Amino acid sequence: MTPLDILTAASMGNPAPRIPVFCNLLDQGAALLKLSPKAYFANGQYVAEAQLQLLQRYGHDNVWSLHYVGKEAELLGCQKILFADNGVPNVEDFVIKTLDDIPKFEVPDDITLHPAWQSIAECMAILRKEVGHTHPICAYLTASTTLPAILMGMDKWMELFLLGPFDLRDELIRKCSIFFQKHLVALKAAGANVLIYASPFGSPYFLSLPQIRKDILPWMIQDLQGVDRAGLVYYCGMAPFNAVIDLVFDELAISTHYISPLADLAEAKRLINTRGLMCGVIDDIKMIHWSTSQTRDEVKRIIDIGKPGGHFLFGTGVMPLSIPEENIRAMLAAAFEYGAWL
Amino acid sequence: MMEAYIQAYNEAVFETDKNAALAVVNSALAAGISPENIVFQLIIPAVESMMARIEKDPDSNLAQHFMTAQIAADVTERMLAKFSSPPNIVGKVVIGAAYGDLHSLGKRIVMGCLKSLMVEVIDLGVNVTAENFVQEAIAHQAQVIAISAMMVHTATSELGSLKVRRLLQAQNLEDKIKIAVGGAPYRFDPTLYIKVGADAWAPDGVTAAKMIVNLINAVQA
């Protein structure tokens, strides 16, 4: 079976040799090719080539569309990203500097014509050709209620979201929802088949449940209007969201859930059971300082909870660059070993 | 009577209802309570009560933390303008986002709570070098350097809090200036603060203010 087949089997609860094993190695590619992150991410061929090499090296199941936090902001006019040699890029230029910018803010008619899209297109074309028929290709899409944080800064967005003016808040979210739909269509057309719906404001870590129901859920429904739910994954930016799992099933019809390492995984398993697919996620920040045996033990713990009954895959967070390579190898070896169906 | 105001104020903050919280403060003022007593007998106990509530309630959310700080800082600023004489400050802290880090939400929450607790806060902004943290702490005679980091590489960088620690060591200032850290990476690895050379950390912005006041008290003891 190909990794794509194994993922489909896990989703359906069908027999497979093992559980799917996802590993996000976006930033490791630059180090592999001995490039600065800025040079690496500027060229889609580099990102695709590095991911294919990493796939060969580690044997995990997935690759990623070219992505870093801020890529969506670039598609919407961000002029400057702060690149670091030892970590993830960071938005340096906010598209929305004052509230007066919100009425002037416009979503491009065709985002695939934007210069910032071209490296994504290059990356996706190669990945689709090389592994599109065998491997899941993941892409990251920020929900309309969270995207403003990347456009204006989290603290200013939190202030606008909670204190208003609410007409401007809603105008911004509406425009972000339009962008979300265009982005999703473009990524699917380019070959992405696992779509990470990143909605931190849809997590009880950010807002209360009544606030989520009143101020977030209608926009999530709007984001996903007319969207095929196949391949869609609910994710809250590593924030726990067990308390909204039922809501996500019932109101959004998303059945795949990427569970935070800070969440109670056993509770999530009980909530999801066989009605969807659950990803158990390792705390990869702890992996920076763990030994290989600690890493293996944690993989076993996660798989022991998630695997019984199937409908389960193993995954990672952002996999910081400072994780020792022996821990990446130990994690994946343990995931394949404990994730095997005997 | 003040207990009822504290309870009503905190309920409003917990529901992230700023207007309701301000209405409680206005009621207290209308009832003849002085601006000084509003701050010292309503706002500070309310923030301390909120800290205790958030510490016990792992399900409290970021919006509540944000509003706790936002409202407390806003009310305190308004009341301070009406004080008959400037209040005594508890201590001083320099605060900023770590070198390479441009995130400011956590810092803003901590600052709001600290100001309402009568701590003088010197905001160094974002992307702050270790040298700048130490220079400003010395210049302002601050007891605490508070460093916010939302990304793993800015939390663990040799140019971040690890360098602040080295600079304090080199100048023999470790007894006079303590290092506090906070931000998402520390929530995922609660022992990370030790590895980055800090004296303490807190899982959220509201309890971070309490932790910083404790560090100030330790330095002044």
Side-chain angles (χ1 to χ4, degrees):
Chain A
M1 290 176 90
T2 66
L4 209 48
D5 295 332
I6 290 170
L7 179 63
T8 304
S11 297
M12 308 295 290
N14 291 337
R18 60 172 171 78
I19 62 169
V21 176
F22 275 37
C23 183
N24 302 332
L25 297 170
L26 279 162
D27 298 322
Q28 280 76 3
L32 180 75
L33 299 185
K34 297 186 169 49
L35 291 168
S36 71
K38 189 174 183 179
Y40 171 69
F41 282 119
N43 189 324
Q45 291 178 27
Y46 292 151
V47 176
E49 183 189 328
Q51 289 202 72
L52 293 172
Q53 285 188 34
L54 289 164
L55 211 56
Q56 286 286 321
R57 178 183 289 189
Y58 295 121
H60 53 291
D61 287 334
N62 67 310
V63 289
W64 270 86
S65 157
L66 185 148
H67 169 75
Y68 49 80
V69 172
K71 192 66 187 171
E72 289 163 301
E74 286 184 300
L75 290 168
L76 289 166
C78 166
Q79 298 294 321
K80 193 168 184 189
I81 298 290
L82 179 64
F83 287 92
D85 288 336
N86 56 348
V88 294
N90 203 346
V91 175
E92 188 164 0
D93 165 55
F94 289 124
V95 174
I96 295 165
K97 296 174 178 67
T98 72
L99 296 183
D100 293 339
D101 292 333
I102 293 175
K104 294 180 279 186
F105 170 63
E106 288 183 2
V107 177
D109 283 337
D110 184 351
I111 64 168
T112 66
L113 298 178
H114 195 287
W117 177 263
Q118 304 320 310
S119 53
I120 298 174
E122 287 171 356
C123 176
M124 290 297 289
I126 295 168
L127 293 177
R128 187 179 195 172
K129 177 170 176 282
E130 297 295 328
V131 295
H133 55 297
T134 55
H135 286 68
I137 302 177
C138 302
Y140 187 98
L141 297 114
T142 305
S144 61
T145 50
T146 297
L147 188 57
I150 301 166
L151 301 177
M152 63 192 299
M154 179 60 97
D155 65 324
K156 291 202 172 69
W157 173 232
M158 187 65 97
E159 183 176 352
L160 177 59
F161 185 86
L162 292 170
L163 298 170
F166 297 116
D167 55 339
L168 280 179
R169 175 191 76 174
D170 291 348
E171 181 179 350
L172 180 55
I173 299 176
R174 183 180 57 76
K175 289 177 177 178
C176 288
S177 189
I178 291 169
F179 171 77
F180 174 88
Q181 289 229 338
K182 288 174 186 275
H183 193 200
L184 185 140
V185 168
L187 285 166
K188 283 182 91 163
N193 49 21
V194 173
L195 300 151
I196 313 297
Y197 182 53
S199 185
F201 275 67
S203 157
Y205 173 75
F206 276 70
L207 300 172
S208 68
L209 280 173
Q211 282 173 313
I212 291 173
R213 281 192 175 277
K214 176 176 167 287
D215 294 325
I216 300 297
L217 182 61
W219 289 110
M220 293 201 290
I221 291 170
Q222 173 77 25
D223 288 348
L224 301 174
Q225 197 169 35
V227 172
D228 180 0
R229 302 304 200 261
L232 210 58
V233 180
Y234 194 75
Y235 169 71
C236 288
M238 301 299 275
F241 63 87
N242 282 7
V244 300
I245 284 174
D246 284 338
L247 186 79
V248 172
F249 270 110
D250 296 343
E251 304 288 343
L252 299 179
I254 299 176
S255 57
T256 302
H257 301 257
Y258 212 82
I259 305 300
S260 163
L262 298 178
D264 180 341
L265 189 63
E267 180 190 56
K269 179 72 180 177
R270 281 194 301 276
L271 289 165
I272 296 168
N273 204 350
T274 58
R275 61 178 170 157
L277 182 62
M278 178 179 90
C279 185
V281 179
I282 194 164
D283 184 342
D284 49 28
I285 293 178
K286 284 185 180 150
M287 281 177 66
I288 296 169
H289 297 104
W290 270 343
S291 65
T292 53
S293 63
Q294 284 175 304
T295 302
R296 278 184 62 84
D297 289 348
E298 180 60 6
V299 174
K300 183 175 186 303
R301 186 191 72 80
I302 291 168
I303 292 179
D304 281 349
I305 294 170
K307 187 180 155 199
H311 294 270
F312 177 73
L313 75 151
F314 176 84
T316 68
V318 294
M319 291 295 282
L321 205 49
S322 45
I323 295 174
E325 197 197 358
E326 60 264 31
N327 279 356
I328 299 176
R329 290 190 182 279
M331 176 190 77
L332 290 168
F336 290 130
E337 180 183 336
Y338 298 120
W341 292 105
L342 301 175
Chain B
M1 185 174 186
M2 199 54 95
E3 275 301 315
Y5 284 127
I6 291 172
Q7 193 176 346
Y9 174 88
N10 267 352
E11 284 308 316
V13 171
F14 216 69
E15 295 300 321
T16 66
D17 187 340
K18 185 177 183 182
N19 290 335
L22 294 180
V24 174
V25 172
N26 288 335
S27 295
L29 279 172
I33 298 171
S34 69
E36 285 84 349
N37 283 346
I38 295 279
V39 170
F40 290 107
Q41 292 182 29
L42 172 57
I43 302 300
I44 291 178
V47 171
E48 287 170 343
S49 159
M50 189 61 82
M51 287 169 173
R53 186 168 177 173
I54 286 171
E55 268 186 332
K56 284 181 200 155
D57 179 6
D59 293 331
S60 67
N61 59 62
L62 200 52
Q64 290 164 335
H65 302 171
F66 179 82
M67 292 300 270
T68 297
Q70 189 74 17
I71 299 168
D74 190 8
V75 172
T76 302
E77 192 176 325
R78 288 187 205 188
M79 295 302 112
L80 283 176
K82 299 173 192 277
F83 270 32
S84 50
S85 59
N88 291 329
I89 63 160
V90 169
K92 294 182 186 176
V93 55
V94 295
I95 189 167
Y99 181 65
D101 204 308
L102 303 170
H103 296 84
S104 53
L105 176 63
K107 177 169 74 71
R108 181 165 164 179
I109 294 172
V110 179
M111 284 169 55
C113 292
L114 284 172
K115 284 177 181 174
S116 68
L117 294 174
M118 297 298 125
V119 175
E120 186 175 329
V121 182
I122 298 101
D123 180 14
L124 303 181
V126 297
N127 196 14
V128 181
T129 64
E131 289 82 356
N132 197 12
F133 272 120
V134 175
Q135 282 165 13
E136 292 297 320
I138 293 169
H140 291 278
Q141 296 182 305
Q143 292 84 19
V144 175
I145 294 172
I147 307 171
S148 165
M150 284 300 291
M151 299 183 294
V152 172
H153 72 278
T154 57
T156 58
S157 168
E158 286 294 327
L159 301 177
S161 53
L162 283 167
K163 188 165 186 184
V164 172
R165 170 60 65 199
R166 287 198 300 275
L167 292 170
L168 292 179
Q169 271 174 348
Q171 296 180 63
N172 204 22
L173 289 170
E174 288 179 289
D175 292 337
K176 293 179 180 163
I177 302 174
K178 298 295 179 187
I179 303 171
V181 292
Y186 302 103
R187 286 174 57 83
F188 286 89
D189 183 355
T191 65
L192 190 60
Y193 81 99
I194 299 166
K195 293 157 191 155
V196 302
D199 293 295
W201 81 290
D204 61 80
V206 179
T207 50
K210 180 181 178 185
M211 171 267 288
I212 288 169
V213 169
N214 288 342
L215 286 177
I216 289 171
N217 291 337
V219 171
Q220 291 176 335

